[in-house]
């Protein structure tokens, strides 16, 4: 409708001009008398007059009909010929201008985009914002064969999306995600839209997306990025499912690493990208002198967590008055040796380079290590393009906002049970985590384990549901034995079973599986693929449970009986 409205509004004068010129031309031919072959006077009717003007105005010319024209008729035709040509030139010129108009082109793109989204046959996630965070999330989703739809206000980013080498086609719309109309065009109320993720770098836009999504589609899952307390509280008041603050998230990771290095390492392994190298354990110093360079949002989040762990860090800040730095702040960037010495670098055990400039953070780290080489270093990376140089500096922990948000959203959307497992594991001991790490290491060796969910439903576990429905008890062990050789276990570990709102972590082999259960596993990808065979194939499951291979075909069963 927007396209039709734009065309009618822009072409109103040209169309009225054409109608007026045609009406005058036709009326003149009807009123001016002509002569037939016998010399009798006659008047052309309206139909033939319109017919003649129609082909005459295109300058094609089929001749004078139905008789040769008189001088008066030919003079009128000559006059109207130039008028209609000028009118057509005027109309076509306006039409070409309309086609080249940015507003019209945007309306056409939105219309085509909305039609494409309405025809989507697969479940998808609506991602608002295709910056560093959005691009990482979309790549992670498509690598897991999940579909996504993108909205971004920057046309260059949307154009870049079309050039990305992604496993799935991702439709993109250049539009303002804060406007409800664009969210609706992108499929907010589509029955297959499974969630909305607001990842723009403007907190107010993310808030508007959250509010719009919860008001227009209350049942949908909404995940938003928030980097201020006010916006976070506002999002929570509208029922936003997950609100992610990258600075608080990283500060919590640092606190976990301080309290329980094993738990931190377990979380990093389970939430890492599939097939990535396993990270080595880190041991942040739990006591001693820490220095925080930069007291913005990130510096404040780390400062609060360190204070909570009983550590009194010293802050180095260039503009302490504007950021509300604590007492005892050292004035400076931290890139100068004099400033670091004033902050007590000689006695320091930990350093946080947390400014919003990557060059300054690298300079801080290099200067600090010249003064004290055995520092535990936390580096803030602001731009994804600087990954290689930040990695080269050898920081013990790196905080990159986009990666943290994308990784957490990927877990929430792809394996929500993993988020629950990680939350519950925080109540376990570090020894418990170390034992689980040892088991995972024995399975996957040097690569991050694959993590997958299984729902005991007819769609994902038809064989198990059938067996349970027949009254046959199915133990968890039946799912983790090799369907080709029941004497071997698949390289996998059951992490969690969720049933009727309750959860069981690291269930035993004899745990009975029931319909409706949701299970979380980690291990090798090969284990996941072979497990699917036992879940779906009744003969494979029967072999695992009984040790007997049933004859599958009719002819083979008859042969076995004979």
């Amino acid at each position: 409708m927007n396209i039709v409205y734009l065309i009618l509004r822009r072409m109103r004068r040209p169309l009225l001009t054409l109608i007026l010129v045609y009406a005058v031309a036709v009326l003149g031919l009807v009123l001016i008398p002509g002569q037939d072959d016998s010399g009798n006077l006659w008047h052309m009717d309206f139909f033939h007059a319109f017919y003649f003007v129609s082909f005459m105005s295109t300058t094609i010319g089929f001749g004078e009909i139905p008789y040769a024209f008189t001088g008066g008729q030919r003079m009128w035709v000559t006059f109207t010929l130039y008028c209609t040509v000028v009118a057509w030139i005027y109309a076509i010129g306006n039409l070409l201008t309309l086609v080249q108009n940015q507003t019209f082109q945007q309306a056409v793109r939105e219309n085509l985009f909305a039609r494409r989204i309405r025809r989507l046959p697969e479940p998808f996630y609506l991602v608002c914002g295709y910056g560093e965070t959005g691009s990482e999330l979309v790549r992670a989703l498509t690598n897991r064969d999940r579909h996504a739809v993108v909205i971004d206000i920057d046309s260059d980013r949307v154009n870049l999306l079309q050039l990305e080498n992604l496993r799935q086609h991702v439709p993109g719309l250049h539009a303002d995600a804060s406007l409800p109309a664009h969210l609706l065009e992108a499929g907010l109320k589509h029955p297959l839209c499974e969630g909305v993720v607001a990842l723009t770098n403007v907190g107010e836009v993310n808030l508007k997306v959250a509010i719009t999504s919860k008001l227009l589609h209350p049942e949908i899952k909404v995940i938003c990025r928030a980097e201020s307390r006010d916006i976070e509280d506002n999002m929570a008041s509208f029922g936003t499912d997950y609100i992610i603050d990258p600075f608080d998230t990283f500060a919590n990771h640092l606190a976990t690493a301080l309290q329980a290095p094993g738990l931190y390492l377990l979380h990093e392994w389970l939430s890492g990208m599939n097939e990535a190298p396993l990270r080595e354990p880190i041991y942040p110093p739990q006591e001693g002198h820490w220095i925080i360079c930069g007291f913005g949002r990130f510096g404040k989040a780390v400062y609060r967590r360190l204070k909570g762990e009983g550590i009194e860090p010293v802050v180095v800040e260039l503009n302490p008055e504007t950021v509300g730095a604590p007492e005892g702040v050292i004035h400076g960037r931290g890139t100068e040796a004099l400033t670091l010495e004033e902050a007590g670098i000689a006695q320091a055990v930990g350093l946080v380079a947390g400014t919003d400039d990557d060059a300054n953070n690298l300079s801080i780290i290099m200067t600090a290590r010249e003064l004290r080489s055995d520092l535990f270093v936390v580096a803030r990376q602001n731009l994804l393009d600087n990954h290689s140089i930040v990695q080269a500096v050898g920081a013990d922990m790196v905080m990159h906002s986009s990666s943290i948000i994308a990784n957490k959203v990927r877990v929430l959307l792809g394996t929500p049970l993993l988020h629950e497992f990680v939350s519950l594991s925080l109540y376990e001991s570090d020894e418990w985590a170390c034992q689980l790490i040892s088991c995972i290491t024995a399975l996957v060796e040097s690569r991050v384990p694959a993590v997958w969910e299984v729902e005991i439903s007819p769609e994902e576990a038809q064989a198990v549901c059938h067996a349970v429905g027949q009254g046959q008890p199915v133990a968890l062990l039946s799912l983790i034995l090799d369907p080709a050789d029941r004497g071997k276990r698949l390289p996998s570990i059951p992490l969690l079973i969720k049933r009727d709102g309750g959860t069981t972590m690291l269930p035993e082999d004899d745990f009975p599986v029931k319909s409706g259960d949701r299970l979380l596993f980690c291990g090798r990808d090969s284990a996941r693929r072979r497990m699917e065979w036992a879940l779906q194939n009744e003969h494979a499951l029967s072999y695992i449970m009984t040790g007997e291979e049933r004859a599958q075909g009719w002819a083979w069963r008859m042969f076995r009986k004979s």
Side-chain angles (χ1 to χ4, degrees):
M1 293 299 295
N2 288 338
I3 296 177
V4 175
Y5 172 75
L6 285 174
I7 292 176
L8 292 178
R9 186 179 68 176
R10 192 63 176 268
M11 296 297 296
R12 179 175 55 189
R13 288 186 179 180
L15 290 175
L16 290 176
T17 301
L18 278 175
I19 292 172
L20 178 62
V21 170
Y22 266 66
V24 172
V26 169
L27 182 62
L29 285 177
V30 170
L31 295 179
I32 298 175
Q35 289 183 342
D36 57 17
D37 295 337
S38 303
N40 299 321
L41 294 177
W42 67 279
H43 287 273
M44 188 179 295
D45 58 48
F46 280 97
F47 173 75
H48 286 90
F50 177 76
Y51 171 68
F52 178 81
V53 171
S54 296
F55 69 70
M56 177 269 302
S57 63
T58 62
T59 69
I60 297 173
F62 289 146
E64 299 170 350
I65 60 169
Y67 309 107
F69 286 173
T70 63
Q73 287 178 312
R74 288 174 178 171
M75 182 173 294
W76 179 252
V77 167
T78 301
F79 170 73
T80 55
L81 175 63
Y82 287 103
C83 291
T84 53
V85 169
V86 171
W88 272 110
I89 292 175
Y90 171 58
I92 293 174
N94 275 270
L95 182 61
L96 293 176
T97 303
L98 174 63
V99 171
Q100 296 175 351
N101 183 271
Q102 294 294 327
T103 303
F104 178 78
Q105 292 179 357
Q106 178 67 13
V108 171
R109 284 194 293 266
E110 289 181 13
N111 184 268
L112 295 175
F113 177 83
R115 291 174 58 187
R116 187 183 302 119
I117 298 304
R118 286 196 296 268
R119 294 196 297 265
L120 284 178
E122 301 288 342
F124 64 92
Y125 295 100
L126 175 55
V127 180
C128 303
Y130 193 71
E132 290 185 356
T133 308
S135 60
E136 285 198 30
L137 174 62
V138 169
R139 183 172 296 278
L141 289 174
T142 54
N143 285 341
R144 289 175 173 262
D145 294 323
R146 295 179 178 270
H147 297 267
V149 175
V150 169
I151 301 180
D152 197 285
I153 199 168
D154 190 337
S155 60
D156 292 337
R157 292 176 182 172
V158 177
N159 294 333
L160 180 63
L161 172 64
Q162 309 306 320
L163 302 177
E164 293 282 0
N165 185 23
L166 302 174
R167 292 183 60 178
Q168 308 285 342
H169 172 66
V170 179
L173 175 65
H174 166 223
D176 185 355
S178 65
L179 299 179
H182 295 153
L183 292 175
L184 293 173
E185 289 173 345
L188 174 60
K189 300 186 73 172
H190 195 291
L192 295 178
C193 182
E194 294 190 330
V196 177
V197 186
L199 300 175
T200 73
N201 56 2
V202 181
E204 290 73 14
V205 173
N206 295 336
L207 174 61
K208 186 69 177 293
V209 172
I211 294 173
T212 303
S213 301
K214 279 302 181 181
L215 290 177
L216 298 184
H217 198 165
E219 300 83 13
I220 204 169
K221 181 185 295 184
V222 179
I223 303 174
C224 288
R225 171 181 184 171
E227 297 180 2
S228 73
R229 291 292 180 185
D230 292 340
I231 291 179
E232 187 173 343
D233 294 340
N234 208 340
M235 288 178 178
S237 67
F238 279 90
T240 304
D241 298 276
Y242 299 100
I243 304 169
I244 303 174
D245 185 333
F247 306 119
D248 281 343
T249 301
F250 180 84
N252 291 334
H253 291 174
L254 178 59
T256 303
L258 285 166
Q259 299 170 0
L263 279 174
Y264 172 76
L265 185 63
L266 176 63
H267 300 168
E268 289 293 298
W269 283 11
L270 293 178
S271 59
M273 295 296 292
N274 196 18
E275 293 300 319
L278 289 176
R279 295 187 180 184
E280 295 294 327
I282 60 172
Y283 302 95
Q286 300 176 350
E287 297 177 352
H289 183 58
W290 280 71
I291 300 175
I292 300 177
C293 296
F295 203 67
R297 296 191 305 269
F298 174 62
K300 290 177 181 177
V302 174
Y303 181 84
R304 288 193 298 267
R305 294 305 300 183
L306 291 178
K307 291 271 289 185
E309 298 300 320
I311 298 173
E312 293 290 337
V314 173
V315 174
V316 177
E317 170 59 43
L318 182 61
N319 301 301
E321 301 83 4
T322 59
V323 298
E327 294 182 3
V329 62
I330 306 300
H331 187 273
R333 286 191 178 89
T335 56
E336 315 88 355
L338 185 63
T339 304
L340 292 176
E341 288 173 349
E342 186 180 355
I345 190 66
Q347 297 82 33
V349 296
L351 172 74
V352 179
T355 73
D356 58 1
D357 185 282
D358 286 341
N360 285 342
N361 292 335
L362 294 174
S363 178
I364 290 169
I365 295 172
M366 297 299 292
T367 305
R369 280 188 167 160
E370 289 179 0
L371 299 173
R372 183 164 180 120
S373 59
D374 58 346
L375 281 172
F376 183 90
V377 174
V378 177
R380 176 182 177 181
Q381 178 186 338
N382 296 281
L383 299 177
L384 182 62
D385 294 338
N386 294 330
H387 173 71
S388 58
I389 56 176
V390 173
Q391 189 177 35
V393 82
D396 298 282
M397 296 181 71
V398 177
M399 198 293 297
H400 182 222
S401 297
S402 298
S403 298
I404 289 175
I405 297 172
N407 192 53
K408 188 165 184 178
V409 174
R410 176 179 58 83
V411 171
L412 291 171
L413 297 182
T415 49
L417 284 183
L418 177 57
H419 175 71
E420 189 166 348
F421 176 81
V422 168
S423 300
L424 292 174
S425 66
L426 294 176
Y427 298 97
E428 302 292 338
S429 65
D430 203 43
E431 290 75 18
W432 175 89
C434 291
Q435 290 178 3
L436 183 54
I437 287 173
S438 299
C439 296
I440 295 175
T441 305
L443 293 180
V444 299
E445 297 179 352
S446 61
R447 295 289 174 180
V448 167
V451 180
W452 67 94
E453 292 186 13
V454 172
E455 182 177 359
I456 307 303
S457 63
E459 293 76 19
E460 295 188 26
Q462 187 271 336
V464 177
C465 287
H466 182 267
V468 172
Q470 295 295 321
Q472 301 178 24
V474 179
L476 177 61
L477 180 63
S478 301
L479 306 184
I480 55 180
L481 292 180
D482 193 335
D485 184 357
R486 67 189 299 266
K488 297 180 180 179
R489 294 176 68 101
L490 295 173
S492 65
I493 299 175
L495 299 176
L496 181 142
I497 292 182
K498 188 176 180 66
R499 175 185 297 171
D500 299 330
T503 56
T504 302
M505 296 181 65
L506 301 182
E508 300 293 338
D509 289 347
D510 58 353
F511 190 95
V513 177
K514 296 183 179 180
S515 296
D517 288 352
R518 294 173 59 201
L519 298 85
L520 179 69
F521 293 91
C522 76
R524 295 186 182 179
D525 260 333
S526 59
R528 177 178 58 83
R529 293 191 294 268
R530 299 185 74 83
M531 184 180 292
E532 290 176 355
W533 181 247
L535 291 169
Q536 297 284 20
N537 188 283
E538 296 180 13
H539 300 286
L541 181 63
S542 175
Y543 163 70
I544 291 175
M545 295 173 61
T546 64
E548 299 179 0
E549 297 187 27
R550 294 182 180 178
Q552 299 183 23
W554 174 83
W556 182 250
R557 290 198 300 269
M558 294 297 295
F559 175 76
R560 290 285 297 271
K561 288 181 179 180
S562 63

